[in-house]
Amino acid sequence: MANIEHTVSVPPAKYSIAHLKHQPRRHYGRWLAAALIILALAMIVKAFAQGQIAWPVVGQFFTAPAILAGLWNTILMTICAMALGLVLGVVFAIMIMSPNPVLKYVAVFYIWFFRGTPLLLQLLLWFNLALIFPTLGIPGLFEMRTVDFMTPFMATLLGLGINQGAYTAEVVRGGILSVDNGQIEAAKVIGMTRLTMLRRIVLPQAMRVIIPPVGNEVISMVKLTSVASVIQYAEILRNAQAVYYANNRVMELLIVSAIWYLAVVTILSIGQHLLEKHYSKSLGRRTGKRTEPAAAEGV
Amino acid sequence: MSAMVVAVDVNKYFGPFHALQNVSLEISHGEVLCIIGPSGSGKSTLLRCVNQLERIDSGAIWVDDELVGFRQEGNKLYELTDAEISRQRLASGMVFQRFNLFAHMTVLENIVEGPVIVQKRAKSSVIPEAMALLERVGLADKKDAYPSELSGGQQQRIAIARALAMQPKLMLFDEPTSALDPELVGDVLSVMRDLATSGMTMIVVTHELGFAREVAHRVVFMDRGRIVETGTPHDILSSPKEKRTQDFIAAVLS
């Protein structure tokens, strides 16, 4: 490398063009693609503008009491069902990793059953539980009629929450398995019991792996609550339907619902992004490389 | 002088593999014992049995006169509960080959975790002690760093400080320098040398024959799950009697 002069055999004149200005390549294909897409978009916008949508009606019902009440019920159910799903997910993830075969196989069965049947079917099962169990309770302690307990809210909560738990259990299990065994041994040798170790060492580290998929599932949950309209839970889509059965403004009310779903999901996506950033900040320093894809994958 | 660790006829199997075969050993208070031997000889397993990271299949181990992992009732030994095993582990501190610092905690948080969470001591009294330990291993300026921001040698010195923060009676070192770049080994060994000088009882599984020669009171050579030879560093490292020991020393030094 040092004696490069001796290896150069071409005359120096060939290198005299090095001062010329560089011209970037022109991307005609990109211009063409962009033009086609913009044309298509313009046609769609024109179609909607000329379509028989009464936009004032959309504006009028956007903040109607029935719609806002439905929106609140959607948000409330998302929070409650997700909370139930997370608690069940952690419990069943720990059970499935237990050395106790009874705990383990009960958890395996739970995940198998609730991931293996459609959510809609599960909601109908909960809602119609009174058909097979007219009363619920612990014999001798308390008892109540199933129809009084299994309101649309309870049936939806149990249906969505228990279903979510089965998915979250797998996510949490993956997160726990991602924690290096050396961390567990280090916790043991400073005298930690299993529960302390789980709380102080394993779960905080598993969070980095658990947060992105759970964030996605919260977003799915917002939309899944709409399925509960079939069992009369008064979430936003069901209330929108109730309104359009009365006034026949079907598309307008569906658009109102769609805008609200998009608004909620957009806010949640921003929250998810911030949460992931937080966890990759405190946990990700171990290996900068490993956190990058997880953070980029998000949303 | 009473014994800090006594192991009698310890056997350990991993499936069909007989990892420890009737191993008996005694370590006095304040003694520094180095265990050497080829990989797979059972030296790490023996160390891990002392603080119950591995469960022994037969035999018995005492640490500071307390039977480890079992309670004697009549002529049977009953296994202890997890909580009792966790309490017994407090007698010894352990340093791993791969450091195993808690990745989600800063250096200082790593050190105070055990005293505060496990021993339930007041944070206000633990933190000055932790800083003194960091001072002792020469890393006080790294207290707010995360493990991934440190070199292997620094992480291992923090790991030693973390173990010492629990005020153990005995320190176990499982190949503490084997995962380090050669230029970082010296700092870790010098911390261990200081610790030995301070009178800490230490069991060190190591490939650093120089360290064993200089610091150990006694050296044990293990091979294929058995203790082959025990003696002073000079006996084992310079004039070993057994053929297997001679071969091993020759291979390591070549």
Side-chain angles (χ1 to χ4, degrees):
Chain A
M1 244 17 213
N3 51 0
I4 193 152
E5 308 94 304
H6 303 294
T7 61
V8 174
S9 55
V10 196
K14 180 174 180 181
Y15 304 116
S16 65
I17 61 161
H19 68 281
L20 295 182
K21 199 160 173 272
H22 292 195
Q23 283 296 332
R25 184 151 49 108
R26 294 195 198 282
H27 299 279
Y28 298 109
R30 286 184 197 172
W31 285 101
L32 185 68
L36 284 175
I37 297 285
I38 286 172
L39 185 70
L41 280 177
M43 286 163 76
I44 292 172
V45 169
K46 183 164 173 275
F48 269 87
Q50 292 177 341
Q52 298 181 354
I53 301 171
W55 289 104
V57 176
V58 173
Q60 181 195 337
F61 279 97
F62 193 66
T63 52
I67 296 297
L68 290 183
L71 177 67
W72 164 245
N73 283 339
T74 292
I75 293 171
L76 179 71
M77 183 53 72
T78 302
I79 294 169
C80 293
M82 207 61 215
L84 179 62
L86 276 175
V87 170
L88 290 176
V90 172
V91 168
F92 280 95
I94 292 166
M95 278 172 69
I96 207 169
M97 298 169 84
S98 157
N100 182 333
V102 175
L103 295 189
K104 184 186 155 91
Y105 286 105
V106 165
V108 169
F109 177 82
Y110 165 78
I111 293 171
W112 172 77
F113 183 82
F114 287 98
R115 288 206 312 183
T117 52
L119 175 64
L120 182 54
L121 184 140
Q122 289 171 32
L123 286 179
L124 291 170
L125 282 180
W126 288 111
F127 192 55
N128 293 305
L129 205 63
L131 296 178
I132 49 173
F133 304 121
T135 58
L136 291 175
I138 299 169
L141 269 178
F142 77 98
E143 213 168 27
M144 66 190 300
R145 287 168 55 214
T146 304
V147 281
D148 293 338
F149 175 76
M150 204 55 80
T151 57
F153 179 87
M154 283 309 293
T156 307
L157 176 62
L158 290 173
L160 290 176
I162 292 174
N163 182 265
Q164 184 57 46
Y167 286 93
T168 311
E170 288 290 273
V171 171
V172 173
R173 190 171 73 101
I176 291 175
L177 286 177
S178 77
V179 178
D180 182 34
N181 195 42
Q183 299 283 313
I184 291 162
E185 290 197 337
K188 279 185 186 168
V189 301
I190 60 168
M192 282 194 183
T193 55
R194 281 169 61 97
L195 206 63
T196 312
M197 179 166 81
L198 198 68
R199 191 170 55 84
R200 298 287 309 176
I201 308 299
V202 177
L203 284 180
Q205 292 195 42
M207 275 309 192
R208 201 170 44 92
V209 175
I210 292 172
I211 291 258
V214 166
N216 284 340
E217 286 180 2
V218 171
I219 286 168
S220 300
M221 181 63 84
V222 174
K223 293 166 292 168
L224 269 184
T225 53
S226 62
V227 178
S229 59
V230 299
I231 56 168
Q232 280 104 59
Y233 179 63
E235 45 74 56
I236 185 165
L237 186 62
R238 181 179 155 75
N239 284 8
Q241 285 177 312
V243 173
Y244 71 62
Y245 286 144
N247 69 1
N248 257 338
R249 295 292 189 183
V250 178
M251 278 310 253
E252 288 78 0
L253 279 145
L254 291 179
I255 289 171
V256 166
S257 311
I259 293 172
W260 275 120
Y261 279 117
L262 283 171
V264 172
V265 168
T266 304
I267 292 168
L268 286 174
S269 301
I270 294 168
Q272 182 190 16
H273 176 72
L274 294 177
L275 204 60
E276 272 170 29
K277 223 163 94 183
H278 169 79
Y279 271 95
S280 60
K281 210 182 274 176
S282 56
L283 295 172
R285 298 194 198 197
R286 178 168 38 171
T287 49
K289 273 175 267 154
R290 264 174 63 191
T291 50
E292 293 302 334
E297 260 170 30
V299 196
Chain B
M1 193 154 67
S2 65
M4 176 63 89
V5 178
V6 178
V8 179
D9 288 337
V10 171
N11 281 281
K12 171 73 191 170
Y13 293 84
F14 291 109
F17 177 62
H18 201 167
L20 293 177
Q21 306 183 19
N22 291 317
V23 171
S24 297
L25 190 64
E26 200 167 308
I27 297 134
S28 311
H29 280 277
E31 185 174 13
V32 177
L33 180 86
C34 282
I35 307 178
I36 61 170
S39 58
S41 59
K43 50 196 195 310
S44 287
T45 305
L46 177 59
L47 199 66
R48 292 162 63 82
C49 287
V50 172
N51 71 352
Q52 307 184 65
L53 284 179
E54 304 291 351
R55 224 180 53 118
I56 60 177
D57 291 307
S58 72
I61 298 176
W62 287 261
V63 171
D64 203 21
D65 278 337
E66 185 174 350
L67 179 61
V68 152
F70 297 92
R71 174 171 39 86
Q72 187 187 352
E73 252 175 52
N75 57 359
K76 283 198 174 119
L77 294 182
Y78 291 93
E79 229 182 301
L80 294 180
T81 63
D82 281 350
E84 288 167 308
I85 289 172
S86 295
R87 183 188 58 75
Q88 286 192 335
R89 285 203 180 106
L90 296 177
S92 55
M94 185 161 191
V95 174
F96 299 90
Q97 182 178 351
R98 302 220 50 94
F99 335 129
N100 296 343
L101 292 179
F102 300 130
H104 62 306
M105 296 182 187
T106 64
V107 164
L108 190 61
E109 286 167 352
N110 260 279
I111 297 176
V112 302
E113 180 72 8
V116 171
I117 300 299
V118 178
Q119 295 176 329
K120 314 266 185 239
R121 296 176 51 207
K123 214 168 183 174
S124 54
S125 68
V126 173
I127 288 180
E129 286 178 28
M131 286 311 297
L133 283 168
L134 279 176
E135 217 52 83
R136 188 166 161 192
V137 300
L139 290 169
D141 56 325
K142 298 289 185 191
K143 72 181 172 67
D144 294 320
Y146 280 86
S148 60
E149 298 167 332
L150 303 175
S151 74
Q154 290 171 331
Q155 289 190 53
Q156 195 61 297
R157 285 185 281 157
I158 303 293
I160 295 173
R162 176 176 68 179
L164 290 175
M166 302 296 288
Q167 301 169 333
K169 299 168 183 163
L170 161 75
M171 283 287 284
L172 308 171
F173 292 86
D174 189 4
E175 303 197 28
T177 57
S178 299
L180 298 178
D181 292 335
E183 78 273 20
L184 303 176
V185 169
D187 288 340
V188 172
L189 290 183
S190 96
V191 167
M192 290 169 62
R193 200 177 291 119
D194 290 347
L195 193 57
T197 317
S198 76
M200 176 62 78
T201 311
M202 292 163 65
I203 308 179
V204 185
V205 170
T206 187
H207 294 295
E208 297 288 336
L209 299 192
F211 176 81
R213 186 188 304 275
E214 185 199 339
V215 179
H217 299 122
R218 226 161 20 117
V219 175
V220 168
F221 174 72
M222 286 184 74
D223 190 25
R224 290 177 218 161
R226 294 175 187 278
I227 292 181
V228 176
E229 203 170 345
T230 307
T232 64
H234 183 267
D235 290 344
I236 303 295
L237 303 172
S238 302
S239 50
K241 291 184 191 64
E242 300 287 331
K243 174 81 168 66
R244 278 191 280 173
T245 320
Q246 291 164 4
D247 291 348
F248 176 76
I249 305 276
V252 171
L253 292 181
S254 68

